[in-house]
Structures are given as structure tokens and as C-alpha cells.
Amino acid sequence: MGLNYYHIFKRVKEARKLVIKGITAAGSGHPGGSFSMAEIMGCLFYKFLKYDPKNPLWPDRDRLVLSKGHASPGLFSNLAVAGYFEKSEIETLRKLGSKLQGHPDFKCPGVEFCGGSLGLGLSFSLGMALAARIDKKNHHIYTIIGDGESNEGQVWEAAMAASKYKVDSLTVFLDRNFIQQDDYTERVMPLDEELVGDDISEMWKNAARWKVGDKWRAFGWNVLEIDGHRIEQIVKAINTALQVKGTPSIIVARTIKGKSVEHMEDNPKWHGVAPNPQISPIIDLELDCQFLISPSIIAGDMTNLENEVKRAAHGRSDFIHLDVMDGMFVPNKTFDYEKIKQLRPLTTIPFDTHLMINDPVKYVKNYVDAGCDIITVHAEVCDESSFGEIHDVLHSNDVSVGLAINPDTELPVWSEKFIPTLDQLIIMSVIPGKSGQKYIEATHEKTQRIYKFLQDKKFEGLIEADGGVDLTNIESCFLDGARVFVGGSAIIGQKDVRIMICEFRKKLMHARRKLLIQKAHSLGGNDLVNKWIDLHEVGKKKTELLQIAKEAGFV
Ligand code: DX5
Ligand code: ZN
């Protein structure tokens, strides 16, 4: 089984957009904490929780307790995406008579706990778990607590009791975003260490300084520590927690408050403030502009691919791009599913497998079994029927579905019916066959055209730029509409993969900021550009944005 990466990714994005829609319409609400837990919610709703939106009180359902109830928009948006009610209802958030209030309430189907007063959710969850034990039920209870609410003594009383009663049907997430209402947690009541000054970035980066896991260990809990925005890490941690017997588990998820919206990230002000309605469309575009980097390991030492995977993982790549060549579809031969099977245990990072092989329908299941998370096949060697078969095999195995087209291939007519469920489209910008070739310039125009076409056809996946992508052209590729970027010779072919990935990200960030400035300008001229830039208070963002705006001829 794959990770179901894009299935989760797409819904997390949709839920974030609904949060913005709801809070903007209400004029109040809590975006910061809704966004820090967005990926956690996504993994729970779209991979683990057992529920039936048509029968919200189904006795055997798993329970999700949102103890940090002020982040209710983050829960409601997922309930809507999961089908408990119409997505348009999110616009009734916090309105009189609506079931979607500022804090979760039983009026809303799917809500298990009226979180509002903080610190109570863990005790409530423990009660649920003990009741299930008495009733001989084996549903699981997932609870999300905040780091701010961990100031409450009751959290620790519940922690002691859960461990005493060996409650292993309880998995808790600590949304560790280092910010509580109005200020940094480490200033109000440190869970790790007292914050001196204003800069939490060092504290966030330096894992050696995190101690909150030790507190929970001392209370007898199984503790897992992860990056709470990486889908693969969340999935792995939940799977591990579910296997541990005789002990409750807590997943300490390091998160960023306001994650995915630059001006909200790490800024305590965005704990509980609504965006200005003028700004919301810019945020919406920003959410559409998340990008991913996928280093291609064939650009490295082919005799030691294990090391290439490790270099990519060390560089914190989003995916690992695996170019499979069979010596027939393309003249070269690289490796096949047997090699992928050997590489799989080295990392949890999603394997983005690009099959440059003839007859993919014959072999695709081998690649599923080898542990690939995304599998892309070439349009040139598929037709409606074989791609349909591949599409279904991948979907039923939680593997994301990709289609690739060569530089001289257009999207085939038969592919149109798959567009709404397609996860990834690779637009090749070199003739497939080897890394290190020059980017074919005509791909820019082609990508822009296809990007527009796909938007009209309700494509929810991402375009991947593959072939000759480097620091000189990546910004243009982004502006064309690509959101995933393969880097062979420009990343893996370089000495320091980590630095190259950082450089790729910097360029992408620059292009994204430029696009958002343009958007602000088109909506409200220089006034809105300035207003939007002013929101970027943390660190050096504002100065950098002003520079970009100036370069682009605005402000
Ligand atoms: C080409 C492959 C690409 C390629 C990337 O057939 O699909 O993934 O190896 O390498 P660069 O970035 O060097 O073109
Ligand atoms: Zn490739």
C-alpha cells in the first residue's frame, strides 16, 4: 500500500481554503492553529479515521477529539470535505443559528467533543477510551491538544491516569507550534526552555533543545517526535502508535502556526484574527502555489543509489524521483522494481516513480508492491483502456496516479476523462532517456497552455517539470504553472544536495512572491500591494518583498 500522498495533499489544501473562506466571511476566528494542524487532520480524515458521514453516530466509528477547540475551522473544513455537510456551509461559520460555531459543538455532525475551555480534551478522551474498554469496543481515539493548553494541570493528571490504565486505544497529537494566544509558549510557560528575545527560529530548528517529549516519557507514554507538516512522517507515526500495546502514545508534532500562508507563519498575531476580505483572494492563490522538490537519483552515482537516496533525504527533499528506464521505451536502462524494493527502507519520503518503460500496465503492480507512492506512466505507451486499468490499480492501492508526456506529445484525447482524478502530470522538458540535458525552451509555452487547459477541466493535481530544470529556469517553470520540480544534474549532480534544495526553494519562493504581488496589484493596485506586504512582520520578509515589488515595477 502507498501513502495516498496526493489524496491527502489535495484535501489538506482544500480544507485550508475553506478555513480562509469561513473565517473571512465570519470576520473572526482562528486561522493560525487551524493551519498548524492541517496535515495532521488530513492524515487522520483521509487515511486513518473510520467514520460514516451519513451516519455520524455509528457506534464503531473512531473518535476524533479536538481539545484545542478554538481551531474549530480546521475541524469543520475537514468535516465538510469528508462529506458531513455541504462545503458552502463553511460560510455560516460563527453566525447565529449555524451549527458551525467558534468552538466545536455537538450541533455539528462529526463533532465528538465541545472543546472550548482548554485542557479538558485529554481527560474526556481517556473517559471515552475506558468506556470503550468496558463496552468491549475496539475503536480508536485520536486527540489533538495544543502546546498552549498544556499549561493546564488537568492535562498532566489525564496523562498520569492514561498511563496507569494502560490505555493503548488513545493516540494524542501535541500540535507543537510554540505559540499560544498572544505570545510564544516559551515565554508564557515554557514546555522546552524559556525564550529569551523574540526569535523562535533557532529554538524550532535545534531538535536537541526540545524537551517536551521527555516530560511525556516520564509520565509513561510512548512518544514519537515528527515534523507535523510532512504527510509521510505523520502516517508513519500513527502506524507505529497503533501497533504499540499497553501504553498510550503521543506524537509530538513540530508545526508552524499559520503554515502555508507566509504572513501568518510563526506570527502570534494570527492566533485569532480574520484576514481582510481584500487579502483573502491572495491567500487563496498562495495556497494554490505550494511547491515540491523531487531530486532524481539517476543523476548521481548509479553504483550507489542507496547513498543518493540518503543524500536527498538529508537535503529534506519532498519526494525522491526514481527514473525507471527499460532500454526499450528509451535506449538506456537504469533499474527496476527490485532495486526500488531495496531502496524503500532507507526513507519514508514519498517515492515519485517515473516509468519510462513499454507496456506499463503489465508491470505497474510490481512497482506498487515495491513501495512506490506516486507512479507516473507515459501517454505514448498507454491508451484509454490500459491507462484506466493502471489508474484503478493505483487508486485501490493508495498510490497516486501520474501521466507523463514527451516534448513532442500533446495530452491525448483519451486522457481527458481521467483529468479530474489525475494526481500528477509530468511535462517532459527533455527527450527522456538521460539526465544532464538542456531544457527545451518550447516547454514553457506548452506548460502554460496545458496549465490553463487543465484548470478548465477541473484538474486538482500538480504539474511536474522534469528535465533540465535548474536555478536559471525554475522560476519560469513555476510561473508556467508547474508545482513539482525534478532536479537531476542541478541537485543530485551537485556536491551539496542540501544547499541545492535550499537554493531551489529560495528561487521558488521568489517566483511565488512575485506572482502574489502581481495578484495584489491586479486586485487593488499599489495600495493593496503595500497592504499585503505590510502583513509580513516576522523576520526579513517585508524587506525582501519590497525589493521584489520594486524589481517588478510596483510600489
Ligand atoms: C529524463 C528523466 C529526468 C532526468 C532529470 O529521462 O526523466 O528525471 O533524469 O535529470 P536532469 O534534471 O539532469 O535533466
Ligand atoms: Zn523523470
Side-chain angles (χ1 to χ4, degrees):
M1 282 304 242
L3 200 51
N4 228 0
Y5 188 89
Y6 273 105
H7 180 76
I8 300 169
F9 177 91
K10 290 191 245 183
R11 282 157 186 78
V12 168
K13 179 161 79 176
E14 192 180 8
R16 276 203 174 97
K17 288 181 158 214
L18 288 175
V19 166
I20 293 297
K21 207 181 218 175
I23 296 182
T24 307
S28 62
H30 294 82
S34 295
F35 283 3
S36 58
M37 65 171 192
E39 280 78 13
I40 296 169
M41 278 282 178
C43 292
L44 287 173
F45 268 98
Y46 314 113
K47 185 136 183 103
F48 289 99
L49 280 174
K50 291 198 264 323
Y51 59 91
D52 177 2
K54 300 283 164 274
N55 184 11
L57 295 176
W58 172 42
D60 293 334
R61 72 193 184 279
D62 288 333
R63 271 56 164 182
L64 170 61
V65 172
L66 179 63
S67 184
K68 35 168 272 176
H70 53 278
S72 62
L75 172 62
F76 297 153
S77 56
N78 281 291
L79 290 171
V81 173
Y84 281 88
F85 47 84
E86 289 296 320
K87 291 171 195 163
S88 56
E89 271 200 60
I90 202 75
E91 288 184 80
T92 69
L93 183 71
R94 290 179 161 237
K95 301 250 159 66
L96 217 56
S98 167
K99 54 177 172 273
L100 309 179
Q101 286 306 315
H103 293 78
D105 187 283
F106 287 138
K107 278 199 282 288
C108 176
V111 166
E112 301 283 358
F113 171 68
C114 298
S117 184
L118 292 176
L120 307 179
L122 189 55
S123 308
F124 186 86
S125 305
L126 174 59
M128 277 178 155
L130 293 173
R133 184 181 284 175
I134 292 166
D135 293 343
K136 302 205 172 0
K137 293 277 187 193
N138 59 4
H139 52 256
H140 203 80
I141 291 111
Y142 297 93
T143 304
I144 303 180
I145 66 172
D147 46 5
E149 74 166 315
S150 303
N151 297 169
E152 299 283 351
Q154 185 167 339
V155 172
W156 302 98
E157 293 173 37
M160 274 192 283
S163 145
K164 171 187 155 120
Y165 291 109
K166 302 187 185 347
V167 175
D168 51 17
S169 59
L170 177 62
T171 299
V172 175
F173 279 91
L174 172 63
D175 182 358
R176 181 69 172 122
N177 57 36
F178 286 88
I179 294 174
Q180 62 195 100
Q181 187 167 12
D182 303 329
D183 209 346
Y184 299 109
T185 53
E186 306 315 275
R187 197 141 51 200
V188 179
M189 183 59 72
L191 281 172
D192 284 350
E193 68 180 68
E194 195 166 351
L195 172 69
V196 184
D198 272 339
D199 185 7
I200 59 165
S201 59
E202 278 313 303
M203 190 172 263
W204 201 93
K205 274 187 239 142
N206 187 356
R209 290 166 68 165
W210 299 328
K211 303 185 190 86
V212 68
D214 292 339
K215 287 192 170 66
W216 285 90
R217 276 185 202 99
F219 277 75
W221 283 58
N222 171 47
V223 179
L224 299 144
E225 285 154 313
I226 60 161
D227 177 338
H229 296 298
R230 302 222 32 158
I231 289 171
E232 71 276 12
Q233 291 192 24
I234 302 169
V235 167
K236 185 179 176 200
I238 299 175
N239 276 326
T240 309
L242 291 176
Q243 272 153 30
V244 170
K245 297 289 164 230
T247 318
S249 289
I250 182 159
I251 299 171
V252 177
R254 303 183 308 277
T255 56
I256 296 178
K257 202 139 177 173
K259 172 75 179 170
S260 292
V261 179
E262 241 205 291
H263 69 261
M264 293 183 178
E265 287 186 0
D266 279 339
N267 186 345
K269 276 199 188 155
W270 289 96
H271 171 85
V273 181
N276 179 320
Q278 267 188 305
I279 301 287
S280 298
I282 311 172
I283 298 177
D284 207 58
L285 179 61
E286 189 167 356
L287 293 172
D288 275 326
C289 287
Q290 309 301 310
F291 48 76
L292 300 158
I293 298 186
S294 189
S296 164
I297 59 169
I298 61 160
D301 179 358
M302 287 293 289
T303 64
N304 193 355
L305 290 173
E306 285 74 6
N307 193 44
E308 300 305 342
V309 169
K310 285 184 197 157
R311 291 173 73 224
H314 174 72
R316 293 164 171 248
S317 69
D318 299 298
F319 293 163
I320 292 178
H321 189 78
L322 302 174
D323 285 307
V324 176
M325 304 185 190
D326 65 352
M328 287 177 287
F329 179 74
V330 288
N332 276 337
K333 245 185 172 174
T334 50
F335 49 81
D336 65 9
Y337 52 89
E338 295 290 358
K339 186 73 210 174
I340 296 177
K341 221 182 276 173
Q342 289 168 13
L343 300 175
R344 188 61 283 189
L346 296 174
T347 180
T348 53
I349 295 179
F351 277 180
D352 168 27
T353 305
H354 178 187
L355 294 184
M356 282 161 279
I357 62 172
N358 277 343
D359 235 344
V361 66
K362 229 181 184 170
Y363 304 100
V364 71
K365 187 65 172 45
N366 295 333
Y367 289 90
V368 169
D369 295 341
C372 300
D373 301 293
I374 303 153
I375 296 181
T376 299
V377 297
H378 266 265
E380 297 81 7
V381 282
C382 289
D383 57 19
E384 182 172 345
S385 134
S386 64
F387 188 75
E389 204 177 309
I390 291 169
H391 177 276
D392 295 349
V393 168
L394 297 182
H395 267 184
S396 60
N397 283 286
D398 282 2
V399 175
S400 302
V401 187
L403 183 66
I405 50 173
N406 281 344
D408 51 5
T409 306
E410 286 299 330
L411 263 184
V413 175
W414 59 256
S415 69
E416 278 191 34
K417 71 181 248 201
F418 300 104
I419 290 175
T421 50
L422 188 65
D423 295 305
Q424 180 171 280
L425 175 74
I426 295 188
I427 302 182
M428 292 299 306
S429 35
V430 297
I431 299 187
K434 57 176 193 267
S435 84
Q437 305 180 69
K438 203 173 148 354
Y439 183 92
I440 298 171
E441 288 301 318
T443 321
H444 286 309
E445 186 277 323
K446 181 179 178 185
T447 307
Q448 291 163 22
R449 183 166 40 80
I450 294 181
Y451 176 70
K452 278 207 193 87
F453 173 79
L454 290 176
Q455 288 208 312
D456 295 342
K457 298 278 174 198
K458 302 208 172 342
F459 177 58
E460 291 175 353
L462 299 182
I463 293 180
E464 180 170 85
D466 185 8
V469 176
D470 61 23
L471 292 174
T472 68
N473 57 27
I474 192 165
E475 288 199 56
S476 316
C477 297
F478 174 87
L479 296 171
D480 295 338
R483 295 290 175 263
V484 192
F485 302 87
V486 175
S489 43
I491 295 182
I492 293 290
Q494 303 298 310
K495 209 163 143 226
D496 195 328
V497 168
R498 196 170 187 146
I499 288 182
M500 287 321 295
I501 292 178
C502 278
E503 293 301 315
F504 262 53
R505 286 198 211 285
K506 272 192 215 155
K507 290 276 183 199
L508 289 166
M509 191 75 122
H510 186 268
R512 182 168 79 191
R513 287 167 160 187
K514 204 161 130 187
L515 190 71
L516 297 176
I517 288 171
Q518 274 163 6
K519 175 81 179 175
H521 194 266
S522 72
L523 291 171
N526 278 354
D527 263 7
L528 191 57
V529 172
N530 279 315
K531 212 185 242 177
W532 180 73
I533 291 180
D534 272 344
L535 295 170
H536 297 76
E537 296 174 333
V538 173
K540 296 190 192 111
K541 291 176 191 172
K542 196 167 158 178
T543 330
E544 292 163 1
L545 281 162
L546 281 170
Q547 184 61 32
I548 299 170
K550 228 178 177 174
E551 281 163 19
F554 302 120
V555 301

